[in-house]
Amino acid sequence: MRNRAIARADGGSFSGGGGAAMLAAAISFAAAGTALAQDAGGAVAPAVAAPMPDSLSEAVLPYSPYLFDLAVSSLRTVVAITYDTRAYDPVRRNFVVAGLRLHRGPFDARVAQLRLGPSATLLQGLEVDTRRLPVDPEFRDALRRLDSEVVRGDVYLAADFFANADLTVAASLDFDRIGRADLEAELKGFHILAPLGEAAGIGGDQPEVLGSLGRVRFTYEDAGLAKPLFEAIGREQNMGGEQMQATAAALARPLLAGYVAGLPGGVSPEFVRRADGWGEVAGRFLGDPKRIELLLEPAEPVPLDLLKDGAVDEAVLVRLNPTVATEPIGRTALVDPDAVPDAGGSVPLARRLVDGLGVPRDVGRGVALALADTAAGKPGASEIAVDGMIADPAASLTAANAADAYVILTLARTRGRIVPDAVLARATAFLPGQALAEAEAQALAEWRGSEAGRVSEAEETRAIAARDWRALRKLAFDHYDGTRRPLSMVRAFALADVAAAGGDRLAASLRDDLTLAAGDRRLALPLDAARQEAAELWRRVLAAKAP
């Protein structure tokens, strides 16, 4: 499961005037509680319980219309707020406001539709009337030239926070007669640590940013902004707009070459040639500003520390692996999903179907293909299957594939993949007691063939030989959590029962909890199979020489 938080609705949506703060306050107040979106995190046994929301925000959002009413009632003493309708959309799990209007003094804004969800915010049909706002004269002149003194457009902001502190963000700003900018970025292990002060003795007096930068894509499509921008800059340089544009296009290449030449440590001829290509693309865009795209695609995330001023050198830029183009980078190929053989080309058809990449999405069929590819030993096929089962368990998990799916999901969790309990529970629901025990045994057998499995099995053998009840209890919890060892309630019970027989009280509590949960059907655990496995382990204990 993942932690998700709502992107701030006021983040960059408006500029200028106190009314922007008022709208931010209204939206933020209406979303009270949603910014705390987080769940318990960590793996737990797939006990079948009443469905719970994935996050606090999802639990609060059904009540958001009432919170919004409270916010509106309070803020109407500060700003004039009206709206047409407000409701909770249970399908998209969004709070929706239609016809939102805010007005005070020179500030006037409208939003045709505001959607606020667990991880995304959409302002559709946004209008901000700047005609009475105190703005910079140059900015006012640019808006007039664009016929956009009433700024109209759409704003989309999204952020997904994961339990391991990974963060993915997406933003889209699309304004009529101005342009559209899109950003997608991945951050790994992202933290902003507040300074603790000198008294704490650790850290400095400035916030510390931790993490690494993964894939980043930025795209800009001009719809009119470039011309008045060149004209404004040209006036400062005593040039006309067209002259300024031509100058900028001509200087792009040499300016970038000068920056590259000044990188610390020097640069290689190959990198100079590569940078010259980026400069040529930049110059072409400036000369005819329609569309430009920047893609950073590092093979491994690049630590943010390396992106500080003075730290960027050729090696860092090579690791970032930039591509700049005026045409779409990596355009998705459209394929026929019924073509034989695999129509996916360089991308497996299973991946295309699971992701809806160049073909209408069909997760069920994609997972079926991925499971067949896994059985055939194709690399990466099991990861595709796991992605599909997590994305759409209802379409991808069936009685026919439940055993294979359980094995793949269990091993994925053991390798560190976050597999929601609800997905495992759905697979388990198709497996009667003996079938579940066999699926767990298969997962264990496959895992034991791996390097990590062989190391852990040696650890278990040593614990049995030494009659180390504490170590055996820890192994039982590993199987219960599905972290260091494959998720297996049968094995967890067996190891806990043996450790409890040796006198470990915590192991006894785990054994008893598993027994009670299986008895009242909160947990899918075939007790007969578990007790038989405990008996076999106990015979190994008795056969070992006492330490």
Side-chain angles (χ1 to χ4, degrees):
M1 290 182 291
R2 59 187 184 173
N3 295 330
R4 295 186 287 190
I6 290 179
R8 287 186 56 190
D10 61 327
S13 303
F14 296 87
S15 63
M22 297 172 194
L23 178 59
I27 294 172
S28 300
F29 195 92
T34 58
L36 299 176
Q38 57 185 355
D39 58 25
V44 296
V48 180
M52 293 186 66
D54 287 343
S55 63
L56 180 59
S57 67
E58 291 191 11
V60 170
L61 276 171
Y63 307 99
S64 53
Y66 311 113
L67 294 171
F68 181 74
D69 289 346
L70 178 61
V72 168
S73 298
S74 301
L75 290 172
R76 276 180 172 155
T77 61
V78 179
V79 60
I81 304 176
T82 60
Y83 60 92
D84 294 337
T85 62
R86 94 284 186 268
Y88 172 69
D89 178 353
V91 175
R92 298 194 63 200
R93 296 175 297 176
N94 287 171
F95 169 59
V96 185
V97 182
L100 178 64
R101 295 175 292 277
L102 297 101
H103 172 76
R104 179 160 183 173
F107 178 79
D108 188 36
R110 297 170 180 243
V111 182
Q113 186 181 82
L114 165 67
R115 280 189 173 269
L116 194 64
S119 60
T121 296
L122 172 65
L123 291 91
Q124 195 166 13
L126 169 67
E127 295 184 6
V128 180
D129 190 342
T130 69
R131 287 173 294 189
R132 297 172 59 204
L133 291 175
V135 298
D136 182 80
E138 289 282 359
F139 182 60
R140 169 76 64 207
D141 182 63
L143 290 176
R144 284 175 178 157
R145 290 171 183 270
L146 290 167
D147 191 22
S148 294
E149 286 190 276
V150 178
V151 178
R152 295 181 175 90
D154 301 328
V155 175
Y156 173 75
L157 302 168
D160 283 310
F161 296 90
F162 297 86
N164 58 358
D166 287 354
L167 168 65
T168 62
V169 296
S172 178
L173 307 176
D174 187 359
F175 292 105
D176 298 349
R177 296 185 293 276
I178 296 176
R180 172 171 178 158
D182 294 286
L183 172 69
E184 301 171 6
E186 299 174 354
L187 291 164
K188 306 292 185 180
F190 184 68
H191 292 79
I192 299 178
L193 305 182
L196 299 179
E198 296 180 1
I202 55 176
D205 58 357
Q206 298 295 324
E208 184 178 1
V209 179
L210 305 179
S212 301
L213 183 68
R215 193 172 188 270
V216 177
R217 183 189 294 271
F218 174 78
T219 304
Y220 175 71
E221 296 180 25
D222 189 67
L225 177 63
K227 183 177 179 179
L229 189 61
F230 281 126
E231 290 174 347
I233 298 173
R235 281 194 295 273
E236 293 181 1
Q237 304 296 325
N238 295 317
M239 294 184 186
E242 292 183 1
Q243 184 183 6
M244 185 67 245
Q245 181 177 356
T247 301
L251 288 177
R253 216 163 171 172
L255 285 176
L256 185 58
Y259 167 77
V260 168
L263 289 174
V267 290
S268 66
E270 172 58 32
F271 187 76
V272 169
R273 285 191 294 271
R274 189 175 178 188
D276 185 62
W278 303 333
E280 188 274 330
V281 173
R284 190 164 5 114
F285 168 74
L286 292 170
D288 185 15
K290 293 178 181 176
R291 183 184 189 281
I292 191 165
E293 181 173 335
L294 168 66
L295 176 66
L296 303 180
E297 205 165 19
E300 296 291 335
V302 177
L304 295 178
D305 278 349
L306 297 180
L307 305 180
K308 294 178 180 178
D309 289 341
V312 176
D313 56 12
E314 177 183 344
V316 173
L317 291 173
V318 168
R319 287 179 64 178
L320 288 171
N321 190 26
T323 301
V324 186
T326 55
E327 297 296 327
I329 300 172
R331 187 189 297 271
T332 300
L334 307 183
V335 301
D336 178 1
D338 297 321
V340 178
D342 190 332
S346 60
V347 179
L349 182 57
R351 170 58 70 192
R352 290 185 177 276
L353 290 166
V354 165
D355 292 347
L357 187 64
V359 67
R361 194 179 194 194
D362 187 343
V363 175
R365 184 184 170 202
V367 168
L369 289 174
L371 289 173
D373 289 345
T374 300
K378 290 188 178 180
S382 64
E383 285 78 7
I384 298 173
V386 171
D387 288 345
M389 288 183 276
I390 291 175
D392 191 348
S396 57
L397 294 171
T398 66
N401 69 16
D404 290 339
Y406 185 87
V407 171
I408 288 176
L409 289 168
T410 297
L411 293 175
R413 178 178 272 193
T414 305
R415 291 192 298 268
R417 179 69 187 271
I418 299 173
V419 178
D421 298 331
V423 177
L424 275 169
R426 182 174 177 85
T428 302
F430 290 113
L431 300 172
Q434 187 56 39
L436 178 60
E438 290 172 0
E440 289 186 350
Q442 182 182 343
L444 272 171
E446 292 189 18
W447 174 75
R448 284 167 176 156
S450 68
E451 180 62 28
R454 287 189 288 271
V455 170
S456 190
E457 281 301 288
E459 181 183 352
E460 180 180 301
T461 299
R462 288 193 298 271
I464 289 173
R467 297 182 181 178
D468 186 340
W469 313 123
R470 178 175 174 272
L472 290 172
R473 179 245 298 162
K474 292 173 106 177
L475 295 174
F477 273 98
D478 285 345
H479 280 298
Y480 175 76
D481 292 330
T483 49
R484 292 176 59 244
R485 295 179 140 226
L487 185 71
S488 173
M489 296 301 105
V490 168
R491 195 67 175 175
F493 178 93
L495 286 164
D497 198 16
V498 167
D504 191 286
R505 302 177 84 176
L506 187 54
S509 72
L510 175 59
R511 175 203 60 197
D512 295 345
D513 288 342
L514 291 173
T515 303
L516 290 172
D520 58 22
R521 299 186 179 182
R522 287 181 290 118
L523 179 67
L525 170 62
L527 282 172
D528 289 343
R531 289 180 176 126
Q532 181 179 349
E533 190 155 325
E536 292 173 0
L537 278 174
W538 188 247
R539 282 193 287 272
R540 288 176 60 190
V541 169
L542 295 179
K545 294 182 180 180

